[in-house]
Amino acid sequence: MDKLEIGIGGDGQVRVLAAITTETVTEGVRRHSTSPTASAAFGRVLTGSALLAASLKDFDRLTVRIDAEGPIRGIVGEADRAGNVRGYVRNPLADAGVTSDGKLDVRSIVGSGMFYVIRESGFDVGLRKDPYIGSVPIISGEIAEDFAHYLFRSEQIPSAVLLGVLINNQEPFVAASGGVMVQMMPGANEHLVTMIEDTIRRAPHLTSCINEGAGPSDLVSMVLGEIPFEMVDSRDVEFKCGCSPEKAETLIAGLGKDEVDSMLKEDKGAVMNCGFCREEFVFDETQLAGLLERI
Ligand code: ZN
């Protein structure tokens, strides 16, 4: 099972969230059949969403949405407090070659656009409040920098974010995936910030470390270097969708009596695909007729 862990370093001046998401991203990529470059982009967003959800307060459901002008057109990652993550990309076939340093060229399929974080709360108590929406323009398209930019501009948290997905040519397509989010607490001293920036610059490649078996606390240690830290929290992370036949039925019923009646008479059934996980829900004539009576 994938894990996300949180460490506190430098006497509380810095918080580091680190996650291994190889299984989570493998499942996302399998369900959405994304191209190699789209898989890298999608995996980074899923990982970043899980890390962000573990660091922000006051929500039941956190959505990261990238509206991209590049060929991928859009990427969505959604995470809850328990570590369940799901998402999709608008154009799973968007692909590109590799950059001069041998990395998949994520930036060229994302391009410019907007980066949104949507926090919804109140589900647990049946009281849906207005969602809180923060947004910044995409400044990089490589995604990790865009998470850092969002945290600084919208949440006033100076941070460094590393997100990496190592793609194989054959199954399983995701060899390694994970991320680290370093957040400076208010009043953190400049010397500490410089030390961390230096350590990150000289750190080994994130996905190589994960591929060689590094766990979340190894990643925390990798970015903090000599700075003492302790691990304070841990949770499982998993690609898990909340859809169900019951919810699919509610959505169909929501289309209205006339629509369901025509599905029954003309199509002799209905098929609904979950946008988040591609799960298919099939309703035959008998089920539709039963549903129609209850609308
Ligand atoms: Zn689903």
Side-chain angles (χ1 to χ4, degrees):
M1 178 73 88
D2 286 338
K3 279 253 185 293
L4 185 154
E5 292 182 29
I6 303 175
I8 300 283
D11 293 325
Q13 294 184 82
V14 56
R15 177 164 65 162
V16 185
L17 301 102
I20 306 296
T21 56
T22 310
E23 290 175 34
T24 305
V25 174
T26 298
E27 183 64 9
V29 162
R30 186 184 73 74
R31 286 184 173 269
H32 291 280
S33 309
T34 38
S35 79
T37 318
S39 299
F42 185 36
R44 291 180 197 178
V45 170
L46 289 175
T47 305
S49 305
L51 291 168
L52 201 58
S55 75
L56 297 179
K57 291 189 167 70
D58 303 325
F59 71 92
D60 300 328
R61 187 163 70 190
L62 180 143
T63 306
V64 172
R65 196 182 87 212
I66 292 177
D67 287 356
E69 284 166 22
I72 199 163
R73 304 208 320 264
I75 313 170
V76 171
E78 197 186 279
D80 66 15
R81 296 210 155 278
N84 299 313
V85 188
R86 63 180 188 167
Y88 60 90
V89 302
R90 292 216 176 274
N91 176 14
L93 301 178
D95 205 3
V98 291
T99 56
S100 54
D101 57 358
K103 287 187 189 171
L104 286 162
D105 194 0
V106 168
R107 176 178 285 147
S108 76
I109 62 165
V110 173
S112 50
M114 287 297 287
F115 183 101
Y116 297 92
V117 174
I118 301 141
R119 278 185 264 177
E120 294 163 280
S121 64
F123 295 116
D124 292 351
V125 287
L127 177 76
R128 190 192 290 232
K129 297 181 200 152
D130 282 340
Y132 168 82
I133 304 174
S135 68
V136 291
I138 293 172
I139 53 155
S140 149
E142 288 287 340
I143 295 164
E145 292 92 329
D146 296 298
F147 271 93
H149 181 61
Y150 171 80
L151 278 165
F152 185 62
R153 288 289 299 278
S154 206
E155 307 284 341
Q156 288 78 48
I157 305 172
S159 56
V161 180
L162 308 173
L163 299 170
V165 181
L166 184 63
I167 301 293
N168 281 327
N169 290 327
Q170 60 210 31
E171 283 196 72
F173 295 112
V174 180
S177 175
V180 187
M181 203 171 258
V182 184
Q183 303 179 341
M184 303 310 300
M185 296 294 113
N189 90 47
E190 277 303 315
H191 177 60
L192 192 81
V193 176
T194 314
M195 270 175 80
I196 293 171
E197 282 170 352
D198 255 20
T199 312
I200 291 177
R201 209 171 299 127
R202 285 183 278 116
H205 222 276
L206 180 72
T207 47
S208 317
C209 297
I210 297 170
N211 202 23
E212 284 160 19
S217 61
D218 301 314
L219 301 185
V220 174
S221 159
M222 186 182 95
V223 297
L224 288 184
E226 302 291 305
I227 300 165
F229 67 92
E230 56 170 335
M231 301 307 289
V232 294
D233 199 4
S234 163
R235 71 193 67 180
D236 294 336
V237 177
E238 188 181 8
F239 189 100
K240 195 170 168 192
C241 191
C243 67
S244 65
E246 292 73 26
K247 285 183 186 168
E249 197 181 76
T250 307
L251 281 172
I252 291 179
L255 297 172
K257 227 177 167 78
D258 291 348
E259 187 67 25
V260 177
D261 192 47
S262 86
M263 281 174 169
L264 178 61
K265 295 211 172 79
E266 287 161 32
D267 308 328
K268 315 280 182 216
V271 178
M272 180 159 273
N273 279 293
C274 175
F276 280 100
C277 70
R278 309 305 303 160
E279 193 72 38
E280 189 172 84
F281 299 100
V282 180
F283 298 89
D284 63 18
E285 274 184 274
T286 318
Q287 287 167 307
L288 275 190
L291 178 62
L292 198 56
E293 280 175 18
R294 282 177 277 134
I295 298 178

